Amino acid sequence: MRADAPSETLPIAGTAVILRMTDRGPAVLLLRRPDRGSFAGGWVFPGGRVEESDRRGGGTERDHAARAAVRETAEEVGLRLGAVSPISCWTPPIQAQPRIRTWFFQAEDPGGAIVASPDEVAETAWLTPHDALAAHAGGSLRLFPPTWVTLHRLRGTEAVDDRDSAPPLHFSTRVLDGSVLVWEGDDAHDLAPAPGGRHRLEMATLPWRYTGP
């Protein structure tokens, strides 16, 4: 499903998936949130909610979210991003409070030193998707489902500019049996079921298991 115009009206956020090339392949910037507030203790991509300064006349929700991702990255880690490319849009389940729809944008590392905001960032690291997922599987690094799935999808990325030319994926999350999340294309998804289809994340035990595009 295209994510250009999600139908449900919710507060919006933008987050930046920043990649750079290393001798082990592309690495992504992750930051650990303080042990309080939203995503307490979790490793996430830089980003945050859309503010009034991010809204421009005639702009779309995605445009506003892109500006928020760029602004928040500068505020949280001191990096000034160039062009960003939308890769996904995440609508949380009805159980989540607060519910904030978040657009994910891929960007190239602009270079320069990381200057972390002490109020919002406890630690930063450049990790390959494989290493981040392995650390999560071993219980030493806490990830949330959108971050985990994004890293999982990036595992096959061969270059920093290896972006998907298809429209960004939309993930309208539904909770199944408490430990399983399902999205469009899964036969258990109530809004967009696909008979016999599987698009889900199973989280009952580590490592998590993802089935989908």
Side-chain angles (χ1 to χ4, degrees), residues 12-16 18 31 33 46-56 63-82 84 105 107 115 117 120:
I12 305 302
T15 194
I18 306 170
L31 56 88
R33 294 297 187 194
R49 292 182 64 163
V50 169
E51 297 181 356
E52 283 306 312
S53 62
D54 303 316
R55 302 181 184 276
R56 308 284 173 82
D63 295 333
H64 305 328
R67 294 190 189 96
V70 171
R71 175 184 51 76
E72 288 281 350
T73 297
E75 293 175 359
E76 292 182 343
V77 293
L79 296 181
R80 307 287 176 177
L81 299 179
V84 298
F105 300 88
V115 181
S117 168
E120 300 182 274

Side-chain angles (χ1 to χ4, degrees), residues 2-79:
R2 289 181 65 91
D4 299 315
S7 58
E8 188 176 8
T9 301
L10 291 173
I12 305 302
T15 194
V17 183
I18 306 170
L19 293 171
R20 75 176 182 185
M21 186 58 65
T22 73
D23 57 3
R24 299 184 60 237
V28 64
L29 178 63
L30 290 169
L31 56 88
R32 182 169 62 84
R33 294 297 187 194
D35 295 326
R36 52 177 169 72
S38 299
F39 306 107
W43 287 83
V44 299
F45 306 116
R49 292 182 64 163
V50 169
E51 297 181 356
E52 283 306 312
S53 62
D54 303 316
R55 302 181 184 276
R56 308 284 173 82
T60 66
E61 173 184 297
R62 189 172 72 183
D63 295 333
H64 305 328
R67 294 190 189 96
V70 171
R71 175 184 51 76
E72 288 281 350
T73 297
E75 293 175 359
E76 292 182 343
V77 293
L79 296 181

Side-chain angles (χ1 to χ4, degrees), residues 72-111:
E72 288 281 350
T73 297
E75 293 175 359
E76 292 182 343
V77 293
L79 296 181
R80 307 287 176 177
L81 299 179
V84 298
S85 176
I87 56 175
S88 60
C89 179
W90 295 78
T91 300
I94 58 174
Q95 295 90 340
Q97 294 298 327
R99 296 185 71 213
I100 302 172
R101 180 161 51 246
T102 303
W103 289 82
F104 281 52
F105 300 88
Q106 187 169 312
E108 184 176 350
D109 174 27

Side-chain angles (χ1 to χ4, degrees), residues 72-168:
E72 288 281 350
T73 297
E75 293 175 359
E76 292 182 343
V77 293
L79 296 181
R80 307 287 176 177
L81 299 179
V84 298
S85 176
I87 56 175
S88 60
C89 179
W90 295 78
T91 300
I94 58 174
Q95 295 90 340
Q97 294 298 327
R99 296 185 71 213
I100 302 172
R101 180 161 51 246
T102 303
W103 289 82
F104 281 52
F105 300 88
Q106 187 169 312
E108 184 176 350
D109 174 27
I114 300 293
V115 181
S117 168
D119 292 334
E120 300 182 274
V121 180
E123 186 178 356
T124 66
W126 290 96
L127 297 172
T128 66
H130 178 273
D131 287 347
L133 293 172
H136 176 268
S140 63
L141 187 147
R142 185 185 184 194
L143 296 173
F144 293 88
T147 308
W148 191 99
V149 172
T150 301
L151 291 167
H152 181 85
R153 295 185 65 223
L154 285 171
R155 287 186 310 168
T157 301
E158 297 179 356
V160 170
D161 60 355
D162 183 17
R163 296 190 178 96
D164 189 353
S165 60

